[in-house]
Amino acid sequence: MRSWPWAGFEILVFEVTRLEWEVAAAGNPELDGCPINGGRRIFPGLTNPGDGDFAADRRKVNLVATVHPPVAGIGVHFRVWDVDDPFDQIYGPQGVNTVREVELIDNDESGPDNRMPSGQPDPAVGTYAAKTDDNRRAVVTIEVSMQPGNNYRAGASCLEDAIGEDQVTQTHADEFSSFPDGDPPDFYPGPYGGSFYSVPLVWSEMLTVWRKLHVEFDSMTSEPTDPMEREPDWFGVYVTGGTANATTTTLDLGVFSQGASEHQYEGGSLIFQALGLEYSVWNNARSTVDIDVVLTAAEINALVGHWAVERDDDPIEPLLPHFYTVDDFIRNAFAQAYVDIVELDEQYNLTRTIPFDLYVTWTQMTSGWGWNDSREDRFSSNQFWTTFVMAGYQAGGDVVAAGHRDMDPDPLVDNSTYPSGPFWPGAEYNETEQSGWMGSIGDWDSIVFRATIADVPQYDYFEDQVLAHEIGHSAGNTGTEAEHHAEGGLMSANLQEVHTTFTSPTLKRFREVEKW
């Protein structure tokens, strides 16, 4: 407060001393600290699927100016700016994964740069006015936009001129993006160049929009306890001959059913149940198998004409049911797009399991036959984001396309590479590409294959990568699978150990999607 005595009168000058963001509507989430670029954050999405009556309320936030001296009825003028996106200040000029794609997120120019659907104006940006109440507080309510990462900063003054374009420009507001946690100066030079006049303008903290993505985690039920009960019938073979090698023995097999494929059984077993013999499989083709011992001619002849069961290296211990959880790796990955990923509340996910299926084929995946019958997240909307992830056993090829076999090659030839061994062109599928699938049946849903992931040496870490990758595919039903893979990083088709974050193109896609 400033006062000047003049001709027996005292002139009071009222000043805004503090400008804060506060919750506007009952039931709205608290405005907690923004963990990326400082200031506060707001979650404008619905808090639950049945929250539709409060859709507009969830977008509301109050700007509260405190005025001194404490007098009711004093006019306060507010202005809200869409300030510069701080992406380049956070990540530096190289952006994410050292790829210079900052311009995708932040074009390095002055704001406004909030993302808005169909080119609509941002509803929060503009000027407002209110009078102080009996608590010397002036309050205005604004509605923020819905896109994650959109941000605002406000200024308030008891002088209307203080919020005019000739006093404070977009550039002034943008400058504070570089100092999100600092206290910005309260005064800017006025129209006289600051020679004797300054504008008393108080700034708020930055306010950033976040969205919650609710993930429904379901699972197949337990696989059969007897490993042989979960293997297809074409595992039955018989020996017709063989040759001893330097370190292995190649046995010639009669294959009685279509579908056995090269390298499929490496790391598995060749079991002669009637003879009580079991050998480890080193390599296999369609009609031969290499076991990891050198047999004599007599031992080979003793096997000729006998039946055996060829079993791959799928774990004997049950892998299902398995309900994924959101851990720090996944949470941190999506937080870079201002998306808080959480698990769907149990009251909206009552059916958790479906029957065990040895392998889900691509036809099943794309048509929705059975594999996602427990899905209950169909209330996903622009205001309430959900996605679905099923824990499955392993992927399978369709009868016509791939001999109706499992797509879990499990190569043992070189397990030193990450996350699996070599890719067998023309004969097998890269293991990393068969660890999870995404299919579009209205919304994009995902299935993550436990048996395949369990073969990877860095099991726990790779599981997180696959989970983030598949959920990343489901963002908004925008773009093709190939286009998503081309984004690189965690969306790469063949995940490697270095893929720990989403790249700028992926973050841009997440932040622009209207419905997950």
Side-chain angles (χ1 to χ4, degrees), residues 14 36-37 39 41 49 63 73 82 96 119 163 192 194 204 239 248 259 296 306 333 366 368 378 406 436 470 509:
F14 295 92
I36 295 181
N37 56 356
R41 65 176 175 176
L63 261 177
D82 163 7
V96 179
I163 63 171
Y192 301 103
S204 73
V239 178
T248 62
T296 65
H306 283 277
T366 54
R378 301 181 191 277
D406 78 52
E470 298 304 331
R509 175 163 58 88

Side-chain angles (χ1 to χ4, degrees), residues 414-473:
D414 179 15
N415 243 350
S416 62
T417 59
Y418 176 87
S420 66
F423 172 49
W424 304 97
E428 283 299 339
Y429 292 80
N430 190 321
E431 187 168 291
T432 67
E433 294 182 356
Q434 306 308 322
S435 51
W437 281 353
M438 173 274 302
S440 177
I441 308 98
D443 291 311
W444 283 5
D445 300 336
S446 304
I447 185 167
V448 176
F449 298 113
R450 296 275 293 160
T452 306
I453 293 176
D455 293 327
V456 177
Q458 295 85 346
Y459 169 79
D460 293 333
Y461 184 61
F462 182 53
E463 181 175 88
D464 275 342
Q465 289 177 295
V466 173
L467 197 57
H469 175 104
E470 298 304 331
I471 295 173
H473 270 307

Side-chain angles (χ1 to χ4, degrees), residues 4 20 45 150 205 229 298 300 339 405 418 452 494:
W4 290 273
E20 299 174 295
N150 284 0
E205 293 181 282
E229 291 182 13
I300 294 174
V339 173
R405 58 175 174 75
Y418 176 87
T452 306
N494 184 9

Side-chain angles (χ1 to χ4, degrees), residues 90 145 183 211 258 265 268 321-322 340 345 396 436:
I90 297 171
S145 55
D183 294 325
R211 294 297 301 271
Q258 177 183 350
Y265 305 114
H322 182 75
D340 183 27
D345 195 300

Side-chain angles (χ1 to χ4, degrees), residues 232-249:
D233 57 7
W234 42 258
F235 276 27
V237 296
Y238 66 92
V239 178
T240 60
T243 304
N245 308 309
T247 58
T248 62
T249 299

